[in-house]
Amino acid sequence: MLTAIAIIYVIYQLIKSAAEDAQMKQWCKSKGYDTYPSNTGMRDVKTNKHCYVDPRTGKKTLW
């Protein structure tokens, strides 16, 4: 029984995290931003890939 509760809790946390990421992506897209913060790091709005923006040059690197 305890294992089932733990599995349900983990699944709930994953779904919650994915919903927060989707909401943040939509909000940033509506504001015209190129990137958005995700639970796994910065991501590009158009490609949904991880990205790094160099603060000195403003150049975006995707991976």
Side-chain angles (χ1 to χ4, degrees), residues 42-58:
M42 291 297 287
R43 292 193 170 264
D44 184 60
V45 171
K46 294 178 184 169
T47 63
N48 204 32
K49 291 184 178 181
H50 285 279
C51 67
Y52 171 75
V53 179
D54 188 345
R56 290 178 290 146
T57 61

Side-chain angles (χ1 to χ4, degrees), residues 3-63:
T3 306
I5 293 171
I7 291 171
I8 291 170
Y9 178 75
V10 168
I11 291 171
Y12 169 75
Q13 291 298 323
L14 290 173
I15 292 170
K16 181 180 168 186
S17 176
E20 289 172 353
D21 283 351
Q23 183 180 15
M24 180 59 72
K25 180 180 179 181
Q26 287 299 326
W27 184 81
C28 289
K29 194 174 192 179
S30 71
K31 297 291 182 183
Y33 298 139
D34 291 338
T35 58
Y36 70 98
S38 172
N39 290 326
T40 58
M42 291 297 287
R43 292 193 170 264
D44 184 60
V45 171
K46 294 178 184 169
T47 63
N48 204 32
K49 291 184 178 181
H50 285 279
C51 67
Y52 171 75
V53 179
D54 188 345
R56 290 178 290 146
T57 61
K59 182 182 176 190
K60 184 175 17 174
T61 305
L62 301 174
W63 71 89

